[in-house]
């Protein structure tokens, strides 16, 4: 199979999904109404509720949801062959993720821009809300721990990425100063910032940094993980304009450039895919494709995290309700494109099947390293950049994605700890909350030894938790559709599928973790399973009630909005 | 519209979009930080009136009237149900 053909088929499927299925969803299921006054207009406050141009909003939405997960997941999952991963990414994006992200955006926009957590309180009950907090805590913890390990692995396997990855922090610091202190023009600053970042990539490629072993009495792996957590802690405590804001921005710009480079290279070089379509000789110890495929590729197919972004910020900025189709559905398509790029890089970027098999020698071995090496080879063939430079570009791209998600994760988890403190009537300060977050996540990362294996072993749990969150969101959408007496099947079918797969995966993992006497992860997994059963029962009860209760009045959203704002 | 004016309008729209893309995700965080800063400023200016000796009170006293419009919201926000200043009967 030629990668260009696969790319074109993938693009056609995603385009078809956007042009046909999202049109059907928008007109028949969600009935997006251009005359509906969105929360951005109903409650404009210049802070959270601001009507925003749909292209800008799409950019925000897409860069917020695109972390390292759409690269890591598919790059690991191609161990079962490229076909299953390809099908799950394309069909998952079209029928699952698009439906889910658009649905979350619509449900939130129809409810004063409330988050999925608040909506679960209204539509499923207060227990649903508590459950949501537990799930979000675990999810953020896993993201932080897993991404620390992903970055550490990249810094060790691609030493040329060390300078650009850490130098990007310096670039972001300077960009922040240029904009806020020196009041420079943003467009000029952007060009200078991105140029500086690429100059650092050239420098890094010339001077790869390999740490001596041991360094300061610990292994390089331990050193990098500790350094990353120290960075994330400091970044989350600094004022946002100093580091996080310019860093996220430069990263967003780099995301668009990186995607362009990768797709351009595939178009120009069209390498053959060396990996098998379906791998029937998977390495020993590889878990079964069903259900693990469906939780290993979460972002890029369907991801509960998207619902949090859709309902957390994007819904409050929708200018017109009909924009939801572009922002929500096409945002999912953007993520699908990233995942598709990761599949191509990890299957077509090797010279022979033997090379590919050498990398995919065990489950979890391929991953982001395969994306960097394979993608590097494709960019080399397509654009003529030296292989090492191409690999450095892709490694820097992956590190930046993972690092921005990690530091934002530390910040968000700090808020969760502080909120939990409020609930318990204990005042938890910024510093203490950050310290708690760091201790818990460092503990989890090192729970399997100094190499930080604990962070990566929980990756399948991340998928399960994330998918559970997606089913929670879909169940809210289904309840709303049932209440309005609209066709609930576009939500119910993905809901049932995702729920069954994530539950099945969690049970399979429970057995594996018991065999491995891994009590920490066993405990976490048990919490997730209990939460899953809980969601299922609550959601079924809520749907049954929605079905039997009298239908919701056509203007129920508005009436509710007025009642709530009055209370 | 001349070609030059059209280009300028497009450039302006692009710049505005770029600025929006830069600032949008952090609008709420900035608003919160600004409010915290304003609260602290209010506390410093009113220190003398609240009974904390303040050597710079002579200079900051003239700022007090400027704080009145936001005063009620401020004292509610810091957890005082009633106005802590006798001469300001906002509630």
């Amino acid at each position: 199979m030629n990668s260009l053909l696969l790319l074109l088929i993938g693009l056609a499927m995603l385009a078809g999904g956007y042009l046909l299925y999202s049109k059907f969803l928008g007109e028949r299921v969600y009935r997006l109404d251009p005359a509906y006054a969105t929360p951005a207009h109903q409650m404009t406050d210049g802070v959270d509720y601001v009507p925003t141009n749909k292209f800008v909003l799409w950019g925000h939405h897409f860069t917020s949801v695109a972390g390292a997960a759409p690269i890591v997941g598919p790059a690991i999952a191609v161990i079962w062959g490229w076909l299953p991963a390809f099908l799950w990414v394309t069909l998952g994006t079209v029928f699952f993720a698009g439906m889910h992200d658009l649905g979350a955006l619509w449900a939130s926009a129809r409810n004063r821009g409330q988050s999925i957590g608040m909506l679960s309180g209204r539509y499923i009950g207060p227990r649903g809300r508590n459950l949501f907090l537990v799930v979000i805590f675990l999810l953020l913890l896993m993201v932080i721990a897993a991404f620390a390990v992903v970055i550490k692995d990249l810094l060790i396997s691609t030493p040329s990425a060390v300078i650009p990855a850490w130098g990007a922090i310096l670039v972001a610091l300077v960009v922040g100063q240029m904009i806020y202190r020196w009041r420079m023009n943003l467009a000029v600053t952007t060009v200078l910032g991105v140029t500086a970042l690429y100059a650092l990539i050239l420098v890094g490629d010339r001077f790869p940094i390999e740490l001596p072993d041991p360094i300061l009495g610990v292994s390089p792996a331990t050193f990098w993980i500790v350094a990353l957590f120290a960075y994330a802690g400091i970044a989350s405590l600094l004022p946002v304009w100093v580091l996080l804001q310019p860093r996220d921005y430069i990263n967003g710009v780099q995301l668009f450039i990186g995607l362009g480079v990768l797709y351009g290279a595939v178009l120009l070089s069209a390498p053959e895919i060396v990996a098998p379509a379906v791998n029937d000789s998977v390495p020993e110890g590889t878990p079964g494709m069903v259900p693990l495929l469906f939780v290993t590729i979460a972002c890029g197919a369907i991801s509960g995290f998207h619902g949090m972004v859709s309902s957390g910020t994007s819904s409050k900025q929708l200018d017109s309700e009909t924009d939801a189709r572009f922002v929500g559905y096409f945002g999912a398509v953007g993520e699908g494109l990233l995942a598709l790029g990761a599949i191509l890089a990890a299957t077509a970027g090797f010279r022979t099947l033997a090379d590919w098999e050498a990398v995919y020698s065990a489950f979890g071995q391929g991953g982001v390293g395969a994306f960097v090496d394979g993608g590097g080879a494709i960019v080399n063939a397509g654009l003529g950049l030296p292989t090492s430079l191409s690999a450095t570009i892709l490694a820097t791209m992956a590190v930046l994605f993972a690092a921005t998600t990690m530091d934002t994760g530390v910040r968000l988890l700090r808020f969760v700890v502080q909120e939990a403190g409020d609930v318990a009537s204990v005042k938890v300060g910024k510093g203490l909350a950050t310290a708690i977050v760091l201790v818990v996540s460092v503990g989890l990362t090192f729970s399997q030894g100094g190499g930080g294996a604990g962070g990566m072993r929980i990756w399948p749990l991340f998928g399960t938790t994330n998918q559970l969150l997606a089913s929670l969101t879909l169940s809210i959408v289904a309840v709303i559709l049932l209440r309005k007496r609209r066709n609930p099947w576009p939500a119910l079918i993905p809901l049932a599928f995702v729920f069954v797969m994530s539950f099945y995966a969690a049970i399979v993992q429970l057995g594996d973790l018991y065999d491995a006497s891994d009590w920490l992860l066993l405990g976490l997994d048990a919490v997730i399973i209990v939460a899953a059963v809980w969601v299922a029962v609550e959601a079924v009860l809520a749907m049954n009630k929605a079905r039997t209760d009298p239908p919701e009045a056509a203007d129920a959203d508005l009436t509710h909005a007025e009642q709530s704002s009055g209370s | 519209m001349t070609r030059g004016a059209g280009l300028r309008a497009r450039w302006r729209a692009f710049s505005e979009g770029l600025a929006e893309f830069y600032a949008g995700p952090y609008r709420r965080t900035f608003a919160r930080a600004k409010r915290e800063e304003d609260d602290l400023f209010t506390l410093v200016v009113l220190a003398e009136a609240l009974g904390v000796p303040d050597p710079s009170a002579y200079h900051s006293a003239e700022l007090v009237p400027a704080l009145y419009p936001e005063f009620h919201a401020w004292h509610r926000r810091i957890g005082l149900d009633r106005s802590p200043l006798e001469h300001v009967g906002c509630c």
Side-chain angles (χ1 to χ4, degrees):
Chain A
M1 182 75 166
N2 190 286
S3 59
L4 183 59
L5 189 60
L6 193 65
L7 173 66
L8 292 178
I9 297 173
L11 289 180
M13 287 170 82
L14 296 178
Y18 178 66
L19 296 174
L20 304 174
Y21 191 55
S22 84
K23 194 171 158 69
F24 162 76
L25 290 176
E27 286 177 4
R28 301 287 178 79
V29 180
Y30 297 130
R31 298 188 195 160
L32 304 177
D33 176 6
Y36 176 73
T38 56
H41 288 285
Q42 277 180 39
M43 311 161 68
T44 314
D45 63 359
V47 178
D48 291 331
Y49 299 87
V50 183
T52 305
N53 174 299
K54 70 173 178 177
F55 296 104
V56 171
L57 189 55
W58 178 83
H60 281 173
H61 183 79
F62 176 48
T63 49
S64 308
V65 296
I71 297 174
V72 181
I76 289 178
V78 290
I79 195 161
W80 293 293
W82 58 262
L83 188 62
F86 174 79
L87 288 177
W88 175 230
V89 162
T90 46
L91 296 175
T93 299
V94 169
F95 293 105
F96 292 60
M99 154 79 203
H100 167 273
D101 298 8
L102 171 56
L105 198 55
W106 167 78
S108 174
R110 283 273 160 182
N111 284 281
R112 302 190 305 130
Q114 287 180 332
S115 71
I116 285 299
M118 298 293 284
L119 290 182
S120 61
R122 181 182 171 203
Y123 288 103
I124 300 189
R127 281 187 300 262
R129 244 184 87 177
N130 297 342
L131 170 79
F132 181 81
L133 261 184
V134 173
V135 173
I136 188 174
F137 179 84
L138 287 175
L139 195 70
L140 287 171
L141 187 63
M142 288 171 192
V143 166
I144 297 169
F147 284 8
V149 180
V150 168
I151 303 172
K152 175 266 293 178
D153 285 344
L154 277 173
L155 291 177
I156 291 175
S157 66
T158 322
S160 53
V162 172
I163 290 182
W166 291 97
I169 298 175
L170 205 67
V171 173
L173 285 171
V174 176
V175 165
Q177 297 291 325
M178 284 160 98
I179 290 168
Y180 287 101
R181 280 270 157 81
W182 309 330
R183 309 265 163 206
M184 284 175 63
N185 179 291
L186 183 59
V188 176
T189 313
T190 309
V191 172
L192 289 176
V194 172
T195 312
L197 187 63
Y198 280 91
L200 280 171
I201 290 178
L202 289 175
V203 175
D205 192 46
R206 193 74 193 279
F207 303 102
I209 306 259
E210 274 183 69
L211 293 183
D213 190 8
I215 171 165
L216 301 176
V218 293
S219 70
T222 312
F223 177 82
W224 281 131
I225 292 175
V226 171
L228 283 166
F229 276 112
Y231 152 73
I234 295 169
S236 79
L237 285 171
L238 283 174
V240 278
W241 71 267
V242 176
L243 180 55
L244 285 191
Q245 187 191 29
R247 190 168 154 85
D248 284 358
Y249 173 72
I250 291 286
N251 186 42
V253 176
Q254 144 94 356
L255 168 65
F256 295 120
I257 297 176
L259 260 185
V261 166
L262 189 60
Y263 274 104
V266 172
L267 271 178
L268 291 173
S269 70
E272 278 297 315
I273 295 177
V274 296
V278 178
N279 191 2
D280 38 19
S281 57
V282 288
E284 209 177 320
T286 304
M289 183 169 78
V290 177
L292 257 282
L293 170 71
F294 303 98
V295 293
T296 305
I297 306 182
C299 299
I302 180 169
S303 158
F305 189 69
H306 293 198
M308 280 166 59
V309 175
S310 291
S311 64
T313 52
S314 303
S315 63
K316 299 179 178 68
Q317 303 180 56
L318 267 189
D319 187 22
S320 157
E321 197 180 38
T322 45
D323 287 354
R325 195 181 142 205
F326 182 75
V327 175
Y329 198 98
F330 201 66
V333 168
E335 186 100 323
L337 286 175
L338 196 55
L340 193 58
I343 292 177
L344 292 176
T347 55
F350 296 87
R351 275 187 304 123
T352 61
L353 178 59
D355 283 359
W356 184 82
E357 280 176 341
V359 171
Y360 282 87
S361 57
F363 184 67
Q365 284 294 308
V368 79
F371 166 76
V372 168
D373 294 340
I378 293 176
V379 173
N380 164 257
L383 304 178
L385 295 178
T387 317
S388 75
L389 181 62
S390 317
T392 310
I393 293 177
L394 289 181
T396 310
M397 181 170 141
V399 168
L400 290 184
F401 287 161
T404 44
T405 311
M406 188 186 159
D407 53 32
T408 309
V410 170
R411 201 180 178 83
L412 290 176
L413 198 55
R414 185 186 93 207
F415 293 150
V416 174
V417 170
Q418 284 179 309
E419 272 170 28
D422 281 348
V423 172
S425 301
V426 182
K427 179 95 180 136
V428 184
K430 230 168 145 181
L432 178 63
T434 308
I436 293 173
V437 170
L438 291 181
V439 167
V440 174
S441 22
V442 171
L444 183 62
T445 314
F446 287 127
S447 62
Q448 310 279 319
M456 212 51 223
R457 290 221 12 220
I458 55 171
W459 184 252
L461 284 189
F462 164 80
T464 326
T465 319
N466 200 19
Q467 306 300 52
L468 181 66
L469 198 61
S471 27
L472 180 65
T473 308
L474 282 174
S475 61
I476 293 168
V477 172
V479 169
I480 300 178
L481 290 175
L482 283 167
R483 277 195 182 194
K484 292 183 183 296
R485 294 289 183 275
R486 299 205 192 143
N487 177 9
W489 293 110
L492 286 177
I493 295 170
L495 164 61
F497 183 83
V498 169
F499 179 77
V500 167
M501 284 305 162
S502 54
F503 188 75
Y504 183 10
I507 297 284
V508 169
Q509 280 162 2
L510 200 64
D512 294 347
L513 294 170
Y514 181 79
D515 293 341
S517 303
D518 194 339
W519 308 120
L520 175 80
L521 295 190
L522 186 80
L524 283 178
D525 200 26
V527 170
I528 293 165
I529 290 174
V530 170
V533 175
W534 201 341
V535 174
V537 173
E538 296 274 348
V540 168
L541 289 177
M543 280 181 224
N544 206 27
K545 190 163 176 301
R547 207 168 48 85
T548 49
D549 278 359
E552 201 173 72
D555 60 350
D557 308 313
L558 296 173
T559 321
H560 171 69
E562 280 154 19
Q563 278 168 355
S564 312
S565 57
S567 62
Chain B
M1 195 189 285
T2 63
R3 203 168 162 188
L7 270 179
R8 265 200 300 281
R10 270 195 199 169
W11 171 251
R12 199 174 311 121
F14 171 74
S15 284
E16 278 165 12
L18 201 63
E20 183 63 30
F21 180 62
Y22 185 80
Y26 290 97
R27 222 185 267 120
R28 180 215 293 255
T29 318
F30 281 121
R32 196 181 287 142
K34 183 176 179 304
R35 200 178 68 191
E36 277 174 17
E37 215 167 78
D38 288 349
D39 284 355
L40 189 66
F41 179 73
T42 308
L43 190 69
V44 170
V45 172
L46 295 179
E48 189 80 16
L50 292 167
V52 183
D54 176 11
S56 64
Y58 175 77
H59 303 284
S60 57
E62 62 186 276
L63 291 169
V64 174
L67 300 175
Y68 286 161
E70 283 298 309
F71 184 73
H72 179 66
W74 172 76
H75 76 70
R76 296 290 294 252
R77 212 159 39 230
I78 62 166
L80 300 168
D81 286 340
R82 298 255 145 216
S83 163
L85 299 180
E86 280 176 11
H87 64 280
V88 188
C90 59
C91 42

